[in-house]
Amino acid sequence: MAAIAEDLTPYGGVEADAAWRDEVRRLARQRDAVLLAHNYQLPEIQDIADHTGDSLALSRIAAASEASTIVFCGVHFMAETAKILSPHKTVLIPDARAGCSLADSIDADQLRAWKAEHPGAVVVSYVNTTAEVKAETDICCTSSNAVDVVASIPADREVLFLPDQFLGAHVRRETGRDNLHVWAGECHVHAGINGPELAARAAAEPDADLFVHPECGCATSALYLAGEGVVPAEQVKILSTGDMVTEARATHAKTVLVATEVGMLHQLRRAAPEVDFRAVNDRASCRYMKMITPAALLRSLREGADEVHVDPMVAERARGAVRRMIEIGKPGGGE
Ligand code: 13P
Ligand code: SF4
């Protein structure tokens, strides 16, 4: 292990070899830690984790785990959500700088001002938000259960949906609600996967399935292509990252065009090695997700860092909204 220790400049090159895997497993046992990895993590991080999945599945696993420490290989709001659900557990993120441009698109002051404009509205926040925003929220959701969450709200109540405009448009379309107001936020990675690019790829691969994350700028375009008959409707699937893995096992297509962050391809190829999965935009890589390197994970387990703290008063106010999120919607999305 000496080689690993010498290599451990802050987040520098550590090889994810057998020695690294053994050391990570040994340290995780020593800390009584469960390792969780989001589907956008580097392949070596996904492979060493105890559980890999989408944000809803990982929140549920974190809440149910008996381990005293959760090491969340994902972005900061995910680790914060685990801390809100399990305040007595130690929650570590291998690099606390791993943020999220979508979560940064609204803060608690902005949400309070929006609520003041719509008194009595139900606030539904995507899990990609800070703990302070969750504390101002009635129900959180993820891409996997956003439609179910909004459908659970009486039809005559106004809904404020935040912060992702593309997911909001998808939910409005699916629920048919015109009293759903959507915040104009976006994720820089998904917004960069655009409609014209998808249309060109779909035209070149007419038999391919399209797996599209609802945060993508191209989600509307994918449905438009289906509506116009350019791509048969049954080939267009708007899915959370966990549902993409389930669908990969079920598809009869030889080729699938994948419109989301490129880390997703690893789990899809593992789930269905016979299918040719291709990224719609192979530059769609989330730099925050990629901050969780093999070196960062090793440092995290060695030093017990970076520990995630949420102000107990904020966590108390956010907990109800997060608990409602994990109760609504189908099981699955991770393993
Ligand atoms: P999922 O909820 O589909 O895992 O997506 C999380 C996310 O951050 C998307 O960018
Ligand atoms: Fe946030 Fe976008 Fe990265 Fe997901 S892909 S963590 S929404 S910045």
Side-chain angles (χ1 to χ4, degrees), residues 38 40 54-55 77-78 126 128 142-143 190 213 215 240-241:
H38 187 263
Y40 296 162
D54 65 17
S55 51
F77 74 80
M78 297 180 177
Y126 194 32
N128 299 42
T142 72
S143 53
H190 282 90
H213 196 279
E215 278 177 25
S240 75
T241 63

Side-chain angles (χ1 to χ4, degrees), residues 40 75 100-102 128 187-190 215 286 288-289:
Y40 296 162
V75 291
C100 168
S101 61
L102 183 53
N128 299 42
C187 148
H188 71 290
V189 179
H190 282 90
E215 278 177 25
C286 174
Y288 301 113
M289 287 281 180

Side-chain angles (χ1 to χ4, degrees), residues 41-216:
Q41 288 289 289
L42 292 167
E44 46 274 53
I45 302 291
Q46 296 189 31
D47 289 346
I48 193 98
D50 296 300
H51 305 277
T52 301
D54 65 17
S55 51
L56 180 60
L58 295 178
S59 298
R60 287 175 171 153
I61 292 167
S65 170
E66 285 176 5
S68 57
T69 296
I70 295 166
V71 181
F72 216 119
C73 300
V75 291
H76 197 263
F77 74 80
M78 297 180 177
E80 236 180 19
T81 304
K83 184 69 183 175
I84 290 168
L85 284 166
S86 306
H88 304 301
K89 289 183 188 163
T90 301
V91 177
L92 304 178
I93 182 166
D95 189 332
R97 299 171 303 175
C100 168
S101 61
L102 183 53
D104 287 343
S105 68
I106 187 167
D107 64 24
D109 285 340
Q110 289 171 305
L111 176 51
R112 279 189 284 270
W114 200 29
K115 282 165 73 169
E117 289 168 21
H118 298 272
V122 179
V123 177
V124 178
S125 295
Y126 194 32
V127 70
N128 299 42
T129 43
T130 61
E132 288 74 17
V133 166
K134 289 185 174 80
E136 296 288 334
T137 294
D138 295 301
I139 319 184
C140 290
C141 71
T142 72
S143 53
S144 153
N145 68 357
V147 172
D148 294 326
V149 165
V150 171
S152 75
I153 298 165
D156 58 346
R157 297 284 302 275
E158 264 192 306
V159 177
L160 301 183
F161 187 94
L162 63 115
D164 189 72
Q165 57 182 302
F166 300 113
L167 182 63
H170 171 67
V171 171
R172 190 189 280 139
R173 213 163 29 229
E174 290 287 309
T175 58
R177 286 179 94 115
D178 52 17
N179 58 356
L180 182 106
H181 308 279
V182 179
W183 190 258
E186 64 181 24
C187 148
H188 71 290
V189 179
H190 282 90
I193 306 175
N194 59 44
E197 207 163 7
L198 179 73
R201 296 294 303 275
E205 301 274 357
D207 296 326
D209 270 1
L210 308 187
F211 287 7
V212 181
H213 196 279
E215 278 177 25
C216 288

